[in-house]
Structure formats: structure tokens, C-alpha cells
Amino acid sequence: MFSREAVERLRRARSVAVLTGAGVSAESGVPTFRGAGGLWRSHNPLTLASVQAFARDPKLVWEFYNWRREVLAPLKPNPGHYALAAIEARAPRFTLVTQNVDNLHRAAGSANLIELHGNLWRVRCSNMDCGEAFLPREDRRVPIEPLPPVCGRCGSLLRPHIVWFGEMLDPENLRSAALAAKECDYMIVAGTSGAVQPAASMPLAAMRAGAYVVEVNPEPTELSGLLSECVQAPSGQALPRLAEAAFGGSASSPPRAGSRGG
């Protein structure tokens, strides 16, 4: 599945960076909310993920995010998530940059994690003059009640800690992600189409800096012809095989008690 060079370079890598997208989460059953059949209560979910929608009808937006939480609550990491956590445990330096908001990488044991688009299980105050706006906190209630929830500090509405359409990504997260791409000597790109910026520029930046960049995706993407190696397979099948070939052992299940990231 992977070339000998891909395996050997991972084994010798001093700094590994990973970029993951919706395809990795989809293998755990996470809906993508895009394309045909992606409606929720006759609403296009993409129209609800905006500051404008929240200002217009915060209760409706929170009902949608409550439903998303209910969908995600029983889902578990898949072998691809666990394989990346196993690679992190062996790499001297490791950074995982994800476009996903489902928290499954963290649940699998990944520690050095940059969540570019936020986290569905965190909330923050919508009032930018409130200190709680800059201190998002975990809230795993399913469902969150009452709707819409309010900030205990200033009384303003709480919102999901998600980067909505039209909002800027956290500049510190962007800086850290760009640095990881520039400084790595090995990058894995999994489950992403390579079409969404600025994350899509990371693999090319890594290539320009001399890294070996491996793509794992069931179908060819816009990046496929530009990277070092492309494996057309689901990440839940391919990534455990890469990790096991490079480091031995099993990489498709949760780490044993007492191991790093367990």
C-alpha cells in the first residue's frame, strides 16, 4: 500500500505534521452536512453556521447544534484516529492540524492538536467585551438547556466555539499550523479534498521546505499530483498499516493503559 520510502522516512522522521479533514471523521459516522440530502428540518445547515443566522434566530441555531451534539455523542474514534495517536507517541516532534470539530482526535489520544475550525463541545460568550469570549470552556451537555444558553458572567448569549462562515480563523492557530508545515520533514494529509484554504496550502508549503508528504484519501484530490506519494484508500485502513509498518505493534485500537495519550 505504502512505498518502502514512505515507511522508512516516517521511521526516521524527526518532525511529523498531519492535516486531517472531514473524510477521517466520516469513517466514524460523522455527517459532513454538505451535498445532496444534507438538510436539517428543511434548513441548509450551511446557512445556520454564521454570525448572521445566530443574530437572527439564536434558538434555531442552538437547536441545530444540540442535534449535532446528539449525533456525535455516541460516536467513537476509528482506527485512523488511533493510528495517528500511535505515530505521535513515537515521533520526536508531532503536530496534528484538523479541520474537524468533533473532538475525536483528542478522544483517540492525540495531544499536540490544532483545531482550526473550533470544537463542537466547547462554548464561549458572544459578547466580545466579556472575558468569557476569549476563554472557551468545555460543555458536554446533550442537549444544552435552556435554549439559548447565556453567559453566567455578563448575561449575553453563549455560542458554539466554532469558526462560522465569514469569520476569521484564530491567528495563533494559523501561525502554529504554518510553522508545523514549514518545519516538518514528514507530513500526512488524510481525508481532505485539498480545496479549502488556508489548510490546503500546508502540504505544498511542506513540500517546498523539503518534507516528504503522503496523501491518504479514497479518491484523487486537487493535491494528488503535487505530493510525494498518494494512497487511495480510507484512512481507517491505510493509516494503521503505515504506523505498524514504521513502528510495529498494533495501531488501530486505543493505546494500552499507561501508554502515552491513553
Side-chain angles (χ1 to χ4, degrees):
M1 178 176 286
F2 291 92
S3 70
R4 178 176 298 179
E5 183 176 12
V7 172
E8 289 297 325
R9 281 180 175 259
L10 177 57
R11 185 179 294 129
R12 299 195 308 266
R14 306 303 300 170
S15 180
V16 177
V18 178
L19 173 66
T20 66
V24 175
S25 292
E27 293 181 45
S28 286
V30 177
T32 62
F33 304 113
R34 295 177 184 267
L39 297 182
W40 172 79
R41 291 192 195 170
S42 78
H43 297 277
N44 181 343
L46 302 183
T47 66
L48 298 176
S50 71
V51 173
Q52 293 77 11
F54 189 70
R56 183 169 58 249
D57 195 339
K59 185 173 184 292
L60 176 66
V61 171
W62 261 115
E63 286 174 349
F64 169 60
Y65 279 93
N66 260 344
W67 174 74
R68 288 190 68 178
R69 284 165 165 247
E70 290 170 357
V71 170
L72 290 182
L75 302 184
K76 304 296 183 185
N78 64 62
H81 292 108
Y82 289 121
L84 292 175
I87 292 171
E88 179 175 6
R90 299 295 295 270
R93 293 178 60 192
F94 182 96
T95 303
L96 197 164
V97 181
T98 186
Q99 298 166 288
N100 302 329
V101 300
D102 47 54
N103 203 57
L104 290 177
H105 282 300
R106 201 178 303 278
S110 291
N112 195 17
L113 181 65
I114 299 172
E115 295 168 315
L116 285 179
H117 296 165
N119 188 311
L120 194 66
W121 298 106
R122 304 182 81 189
V123 300
R124 70 175 192 262
C125 184
S126 60
N127 176 10
M128 298 306 291
D129 293 325
C130 176
E132 297 296 317
F134 302 98
L135 294 172
R137 65 178 186 274
E138 186 173 83
D139 188 329
R140 299 193 68 87
R141 289 177 292 165
V142 180
I144 285 183
E145 293 178 335
L147 287 184
V150 298
C151 175
R153 178 172 178 173
C154 74
S156 299
L157 294 177
L158 292 176
R159 56 163 283 178
H161 183 54
I162 298 291
V163 179
W164 282 331
F165 292 102
E167 292 187 308
M168 299 294 292
L169 299 182
D170 184 307
E172 181 59 29
N173 282 344
L174 280 178
R175 187 197 68 79
S176 297
L179 188 64
K182 181 180 178 181
E183 294 186 345
C184 73
D185 49 32
Y186 195 99
M187 174 176 273
I188 299 168
V189 184
T192 178
S193 65
V196 178
Q197 294 292 352
S201 65
M202 288 180 55
L204 300 180
M207 287 285 295
R208 287 193 296 270
Y212 195 85
V213 183
V214 175
E215 180 186 61
V216 176
N217 205 66
E219 304 292 336
T221 74
E222 296 182 15
L223 295 172
S224 296
L226 305 173
L227 306 181
S228 308
E229 184 167 332
C230 301
V231 173
Q232 291 183 21
S235 60
Q237 297 177 16
L239 293 179
R241 293 179 65 173
L242 176 61
E244 290 161 10
F247 304 119
S250 174
S252 60
S253 57
R256 295 186 301 274
S259 64
R260 179 181 170 188

